[in-house]
Amino acid sequence: MKVSQFLRQYEQGIREFPQIKLQSVDLAKSVLVALDLHGSKLIGINFNRAFLTKSNFTHSQLNWSDFTYAKLSEAIFNYADLTKANLTGAFMVRSQFIKSQLSGANLSHGNLAKSDLTEAILCGASAYRINLRGANMMKSNLNWSNFQEARLSGANMRESSGYQANFTRSFMKEVNLSKSNLSEANLYGARLSGANFQEANLQGANLREARLCKVNLRGADLRGANLQGADLEKADLTEAILDKTNLSQTNLSGVNLDKTNLNNSFLERAILPETLHRIINFEVNNNFNYSSLI
């Protein structure tokens, strides 16, 4: 379909355009509210600053498309292919990206608060300073993605995978990351108070200077992780594995270490729970298992 024909039909009140082809056309700044474009081929299309509120792009091909600063609240992108798409600064509050493909996409400065990204694939995506407060990202694939300084407070990221993902200085208060894979992820300086990491894989993760007050790390695997200077006050580390974990200068006051494995961990200048402080001289500790003392 030619773009002129498409726009003319829209002006006539038609909103349903399933499976149309509009590749590499320029629709920047267009007002196209409540469109139904499911199953369409829209590769390389330019929707820069367009108004597309409540539009449906389910199963559409949107590779290399441009949605920079577009208005996309309550839009539907379920199962859509947005590989390498540019969504910088787009307003996508309460939108749906269930099982969508966003590998290599640019979502920096976008607003996806309370959106649904269940099982979405964001491998290598750029999401610098994105807003995902209260979003559902359960079982999403975030491997090698960049969420530096992102806002993820209250997000559900249960069973997600963020291998080598970058969450440096992100705001992640009360985020649910239970049973997630964050091995070798960078969470330096992240705000994670009240977060749920139960049974999460944090092997080799960088949590240096992270705020982890009252976090749930029950059964979490922190082998080889770096928590130097982190604040873990009143955290729950029951049955956590901290073998060869760097806990130097870490605040562990009020921490629950029931059945926690601290073998070969580094505790130099750490602030320890009172009961543990009385038992060990952490400056010479090289092989210690807290579970042996309870």
Side-chain angles (χ1 to χ4, degrees):
M1 179 182 289
K2 293 183 178 179
V3 67
S4 57
Q5 181 184 359
F6 166 71
L7 292 172
R8 185 168 57 252
Q9 290 186 15
Y10 182 85
E11 289 174 2
Q12 292 171 353
I14 297 173
R15 297 293 180 266
E16 297 183 6
F17 298 90
Q19 300 180 348
I20 67 166
K21 295 181 181 179
L22 287 171
Q23 291 181 242
S24 302
V25 299
D26 186 1
L27 290 167
K29 299 182 181 179
S30 298
V31 179
L32 299 164
V33 177
L35 274 178
D36 184 355
L37 292 163
H38 75 268
S40 296
K41 196 167 186 178
L42 305 165
I43 298 172
I45 196 166
N46 182 8
F47 279 126
N48 179 283
R49 299 182 186 274
F51 283 77
L52 296 155
T53 304
K54 297 183 179 180
S55 292
N56 183 5
F57 296 92
T58 301
H59 285 292
S60 292
Q61 295 180 48
L62 292 154
N63 318 60
W64 298 285
S65 52
D66 185 356
F67 287 96
T68 53
Y69 299 103
K71 304 301 182 185
L72 291 157
S73 56
E74 299 182 61
I76 303 172
F77 289 92
N78 298 339
Y79 303 93
D81 189 347
L82 288 143
T83 303
K84 301 285 185 179
N86 190 351
L87 294 126
T88 302
F91 187 80
M92 299 170 277
V93 172
R94 294 188 177 88
S95 291
Q96 296 180 34
F97 289 84
I98 298 170
K99 293 188 176 181
S100 61
Q101 173 63 259
L102 288 152
S103 295
N106 190 345
L107 297 128
S108 297
H109 301 281
N111 190 344
L112 279 136
K114 299 183 180 179
S115 292
D116 193 344
L117 291 93
T118 303
E119 295 187 53
I121 300 173
L122 292 96
C123 293
S126 177
Y128 175 69
R129 288 194 172 182
I130 193 173
N131 180 3
L132 282 159
R133 287 192 180 101
N136 186 4
M137 302 172 70
M138 185 173 176
K139 296 184 179 180
S140 57
N141 188 333
L142 312 173
N143 297 337
W144 307 289
S145 54
N146 179 18
F147 282 84
Q148 187 174 357
E149 297 183 27
R151 286 158 175 76
L152 292 150
S153 298
N156 178 16
M157 300 172 71
R158 179 182 171 87
E159 298 180 58
S160 61
S161 181
Y163 173 72
Q164 290 190 349
N166 183 6
F167 293 96
T168 301
R169 295 189 180 90
S170 290
F171 298 86
M172 304 173 76
K173 183 179 180 181
E174 297 179 358
V175 67
N176 183 1
L177 282 157
S178 58
K179 296 186 178 180
S180 60
N181 175 22
L182 290 164
S183 55
E184 299 183 33
N186 189 356
L187 293 129
Y188 172 80
R191 279 75 161 174
L192 290 152
S193 299
N196 183 2
F197 286 98
Q198 185 165 348
E199 298 180 32
N201 179 4
L202 289 154
Q203 290 188 56
N206 180 13
L207 289 149
R208 185 172 178 176
E209 298 182 23
R211 297 181 187 175
L212 295 155
C213 302
K214 299 181 181 179
V215 297
N216 178 4
L217 284 158
R218 295 175 67 94
D221 190 342
L222 287 148
R223 284 177 289 182
N226 183 5
L227 287 94
Q228 183 178 359
D231 187 355
L232 282 150
E233 184 176 2
K234 297 182 180 179
D236 188 351
L237 287 155
T238 302
E239 298 183 344
I241 304 171
L242 286 88
D243 187 37
K244 297 181 181 178
T245 303
N246 186 354
L247 295 165
S248 58
Q249 302 176 57
T250 300
N251 181 8
L252 294 166
S253 59
V255 168
N256 185 351
L257 293 166
D258 185 24
K259 299 181 182 178
T260 301
N261 185 344
L262 282 163
N263 285 338
N264 305 305
S265 290
F266 303 95
L267 291 157
E268 184 179 4
R269 290 189 289 171
I271 301 173
L272 301 174
E274 185 60 31
T275 53
L276 186 59
H277 184 76
R278 290 197 301 264
I279 294 170
I280 65 170
N281 179 353
F282 58 84
E283 292 182 347
V284 296
N285 176 59
N286 289 311
N287 187 12
F288 182 76
N289 189 336
Y290 182 74
S291 62
S292 65
L293 301 171
I294 60 175

